[in-house]
């Protein structure tokens, strides 16, 4: 079978597993069987995708198949090329590790019959989106992916917060699908040919191209979590089971990025400079606002969800740079920025899945997502703590882990901006680079808070003090991702070379071959500009830490000295005297709070002689929700209430309305012709 046929059979296996999950979801053995089958199918998908991607590097061709399904005159076209093979690798690997995690975590699920049918269906939907080679198949698969993930968000529907999250998610998903439908309609034009091959070959006017880009930012951007379309993400991701949260955050958002890349860089044609400016500004705003909101959170899974928004912003900044360079014929810098974007897509799928798995382990062991009720877990969950620490370092873009490598490439692309001819880009790109640097620093602060408050110090509650390590399947999934974060960080050249066929196919250029550079260094442009060696940095850190530990333990004084421990000014040995998540974020809240969050601090100080404690109440707001979505939902509710009277009309009035509507439609047709 051809590679695309193998993946198509795998989609059928996913759907068969979903049927099995629906039929036997209440049985005790169903959880293990469904996740084991999903793991095996995902392993086949990732093996096929990776082999096809590596084959593309040596001159392999795309694999296609057409099925007699879908629109009568079109059928259903499926295609596996270098771009789809890369994103399919992300989906397959994420699905395999989420399934491995689910083999253990799934047994803690209180309603497995609400999860098991939709988990493999979700994987099938994401796989079909990436294989689709016509607009009809793409949109059907996109909607199937959205509905399956919505069902998983609603798995715990008895909680009011989850019902609200599911409602907002399905509304935003429907809005995004509508925007994509309009975009494909513009691309198909009056001929109505929805096959990607025909769209790719057609000429698109600047007005059509600009309109399609805006619709894509609304459609794919809403699914990815771009500001101001991000409001569903911090609600839906925490509501879903943790391995599903990892898939939604680490994988589904990448499927949305795939849709954007496929249309903009493959189907739309030559970009204009203003398109790069628009994507850059939106990406920079998304990165900075996402991490600022993450810093304010005390809910561990909401913090991770907001952090996803930040990383999506980083990816779109790199894609905006790609558009800016490609619009000016600078194919080398465009390939650099594009490789940085795809590299960060892969890296984010690694460390964000790892962090959601860690949050799920904490939730399983303690029943808590509130960091203020945790603490001291490093002594009771050492493996989970180690894995979460690796993910925290990686997402903070610290060497030698993978987050540093991709963000370093993005900054190298920013440094090429002085060669751009447009003064607008010369000014905006460095400003966006400064926002990226600020976001990286705030991300490090955010995950010092997340790891420190959750795992270090003393337990703040009784449940945290008796937590125990989770099952071996969950630990295995986390350790595999931790190893991948390290490997991608110390061997980035291998990843960059594997991404070269994608850049070459879409941009006509690629980065220099990295495999032959000594000591596994990477040189994205030339040695006179910059280079980086993740392996040497790793060896230096390991050697320095080992020497320091040896000196401390063997050459330090062995004399026994007794002294009171440093108490930070709080001699009371109470866990309540520790730094909390709120106190850790207080300096950032006071710097940005008035402008970004409309933060308010209210102190309730008891009068002299009263025995009640003083209380500090902090409130923050999402201004985008307050200014955009709250008035919109209010207007929709008002209009719906008024239109509700239509269902109580008499027959004569209904007939009158039908007559008036018919007259109006005839007038529209007459004017149109």
């Amino acid at each position: 079978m051809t590679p695309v046929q193998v993946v198509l059979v795998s989609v059928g296996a996913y759907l068969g597993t979903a049927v099995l999950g629906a039929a036997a979801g209440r049985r005790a053995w169903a959880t293990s069987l469904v996740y084991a089958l999903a793991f095996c199918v995902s392993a086949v998908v990732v093996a096929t995708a990776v082999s096809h991607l590596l084959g593309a590097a040596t001159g392999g061709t795309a694999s296609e198949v057409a099925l007699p399904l879908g629109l009568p005159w079109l059928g259903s076209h499926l295609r596996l090329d270098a771009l789809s093979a890369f994103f399919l690798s992300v989906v397959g690997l994420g699905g395999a590790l989420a399934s491995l995690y689910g083999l253990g975590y799934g047994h803690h699920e209180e309603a497995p019959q609400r999860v098991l049918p939709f988990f493999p269906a979700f994987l099938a939907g994401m796989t079909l989106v990436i294989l689709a080679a016509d607009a009809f198949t793409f949109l059907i698969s996109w909607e199937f992916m959205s509905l399956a993930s919505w069902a998983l968000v609603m798995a715990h529907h008895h909680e009011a917060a989850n019902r609200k999250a599911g409602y907002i998610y399905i509304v935003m998903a429907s809005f995004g699908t509508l925007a994509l439908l309009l975009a494909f309609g513009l691309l198909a034009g009056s001929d109505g040919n929805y096959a990607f091959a025909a769209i790719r070959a057609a000429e698109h006017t600047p007005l059509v191209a600009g309109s399609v880009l805006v619709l894509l930012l609304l459609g794919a951007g809403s699914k990815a979590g771009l500001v101001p379309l991000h409001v569903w993400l911090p609600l839906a991701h925490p509501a879903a089971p943790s391995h599903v949260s990892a898939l939604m955050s680490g994988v589904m958002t990448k499927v949305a990025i795939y849709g954007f890349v496929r249309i903009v860089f493959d189907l739309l044609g030559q970009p204009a400079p203003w398109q790069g400016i628009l994507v850059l500004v939106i990406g920079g705003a998304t990165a900075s606002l996402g991490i600022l909101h993450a810093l304010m959170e005390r809910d561990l899974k909401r913090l991770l969800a907001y952090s996803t928004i930040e990383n999506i912003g980083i990816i779109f900044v790199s894609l905006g740079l790609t558009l800016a360079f490609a619009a000016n014929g600078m194919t080398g810098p465009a390939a650099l920025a594009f490789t940085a974007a795809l590299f960060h897509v892969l890296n984010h799928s690694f460390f964000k899945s790892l962090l959601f798995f860690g949050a799920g382990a904490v939730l399983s062991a303690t029943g808590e997502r509130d960091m203020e009720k945790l603490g001291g877990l490093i002594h009771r969950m050492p493996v989970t703590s180690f894995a979460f620490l690796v993910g925290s370092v990686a997402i903070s873009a610290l060497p030698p882990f993978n987050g540093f490598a991709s963000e370093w490439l993005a900054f190298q692309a920013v440094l090429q901006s002085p060669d751009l001819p447009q003064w607008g880009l010369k000014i905006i790109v460095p400003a966006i680079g400064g926002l990226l640097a600020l976001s990286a620093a705030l991300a490090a602060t955010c995950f010092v808070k997340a790891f420190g408050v959750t795992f270090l110090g003393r337990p703040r509650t009784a449940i945290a003090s008796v937590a125990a390590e989770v099952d071996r399947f969950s630990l295995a999934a986390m350790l595999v991702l931790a190893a991948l974060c390290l490997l991608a960080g110390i061997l980035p050249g291998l990843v960059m070379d594997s991404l070269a066929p994608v850049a070459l196919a879409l941009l006509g250029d690629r980065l220099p071959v990295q495999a032959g550079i000594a000591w596994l260094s990477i040189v994205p442009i030339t040695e006179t500009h910059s280079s980086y060696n993740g392996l040497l940095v790793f060896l230096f850190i390991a050697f320095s830490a080992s020497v320091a530990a040896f000196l401390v333990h063997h050459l330090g004084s062995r004399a026994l000295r007794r002294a009171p421990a440093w108490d930070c000014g709080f001699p009371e040995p109470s866990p309540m005297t520790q730094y909390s998540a709120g106190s850790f974020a207080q300096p950032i809240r006071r710097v940005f709070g008035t402008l970004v969050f409309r933060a308010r601090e209210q102190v309730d100080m008891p009068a002299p002689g009263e025995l009640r404690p003083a209380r500090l109440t902090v409130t923050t707001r999402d201004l985008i929700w307050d200014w955009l979505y709250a008035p919109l939902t209010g207007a929709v509710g008002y209009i719906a209430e008024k239109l509700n009277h239509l269902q109580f009309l008499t027959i004569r009035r209904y007939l009158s309305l039908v007559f008036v509507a018919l007259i109006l439609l005839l007038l529209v047709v007459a004017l149109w012709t």
Side-chain angles (χ1 to χ4, degrees), residues 15-36:
L15 296 176
T17 306
V19 173
L20 176 63
R26 296 181 183 274
R27 304 294 180 88
W29 47 265
T31 295
S32 297
L33 182 59
V34 167
Y35 286 121

Side-chain angles (χ1 to χ4, degrees), residues 323-535:
L323 285 171
F325 289 129
N328 290 285
M330 301 168 63
T331 56
L336 171 60
F338 190 65
T339 302
L342 296 187
F343 198 178
H344 203 70
V345 163
L346 181 67
N347 289 340
H348 184 253
S349 71
F350 289 166
F351 52 65
K352 188 49 63 71
S353 298
L354 170 58
L355 290 167
F356 267 112
F357 288 169
V362 170
L363 182 60
S364 296
T366 65
E368 284 290 345
R369 298 184 336 213
D370 188 349
M371 291 184 287
E372 306 284 22
K373 299 179 181 179
L374 300 172
L377 296 180
I378 193 171
H379 302 294
R380 294 155 186 84
M381 306 175 68
V383 181
T384 298
S385 301
F386 169 76
F388 197 94
L389 177 61
V390 170
S392 299
V393 175
I395 200 172
S396 300
L398 297 175
F401 290 96
N402 56 344
F404 175 82
S406 54
E407 292 197 32
W408 181 80
L409 283 180
F411 280 110
Q412 296 305 310
V414 169
L415 294 177
Q416 307 305 307
S417 62
D419 296 331
L420 290 166
Q422 293 85 10
W423 277 102
L425 285 168
K426 286 178 181 289
I427 295 171
I428 288 176
V429 173
I432 299 299
L435 273 181
L436 282 188
L438 174 64
S439 299
L442 292 176
T445 306
C446 178
F447 283 92
V448 168
K449 162 189 162 179
F451 181 80
V453 175
T454 303
F455 293 98
L456 302 183
R458 289 169 290 184
R460 293 176 176 81
T461 57
I463 191 67
S465 64
V466 297
E469 193 59 273
V470 292
D471 60 275
R472 63 184 185 277
F473 292 109
S474 301
L475 295 178
M478 289 188 281
L479 291 177
V480 169
L481 284 169
L484 289 174
C485 288
L486 179 61
L487 288 175
I490 64 178
L491 303 173
L494 300 181
V495 180
M496 293 163 62
D497 285 343
S498 67
L499 295 174
V502 186
L504 191 62
L506 297 182
L507 302 172
D509 204 348
R510 54 161 292 170
L511 294 184
V513 177
Q514 308 293 314
I517 300 175
W519 289 94
L520 298 175
S521 297
I522 56 172
V523 182
I525 308 169
T526 61
E527 291 184 358
T528 57
H529 281 71
S530 59
S531 63
Y532 170 69
N533 191 301
L535 179 60

Side-chain angles (χ1 to χ4, degrees), residues 50-114:
V50 170
S51 63
H52 189 80
L53 182 60
L54 297 179
T58 58
T61 58
S63 176
E64 301 184 41
V65 67
L67 301 176
L69 303 171
L71 297 177
W73 66 91
L74 179 64
S76 181
H77 296 267
L78 305 170
R79 188 170 187 262
L80 185 63
D81 57 10
L83 176 64
S84 53
F86 167 70
F87 278 93
L88 197 60
S89 303
V90 174
V91 172
L93 185 59
L97 292 173
S99 301
L100 177 61
Y101 186 87
L103 283 170
Y105 179 85
H107 291 285
H108 302 285
E109 178 60 49
E110 60 185 39
Q113 71 276 8
R114 298 186 180 277

Side-chain angles (χ1 to χ4, degrees), residues 639-651:
I639 294 172
E641 184 180 353
K642 296 301 180 183
L643 292 177
N644 189 45
H645 296 293
L646 292 177
Q647 63 179 319
F648 301 107
L649 299 179
T650 63
I651 294 295

Side-chain angles (χ1 to χ4, degrees), residues 161 207 459 497 573 578 609 672:
L207 178 60
D497 285 343
Q578 301 176 107
W672 183 265

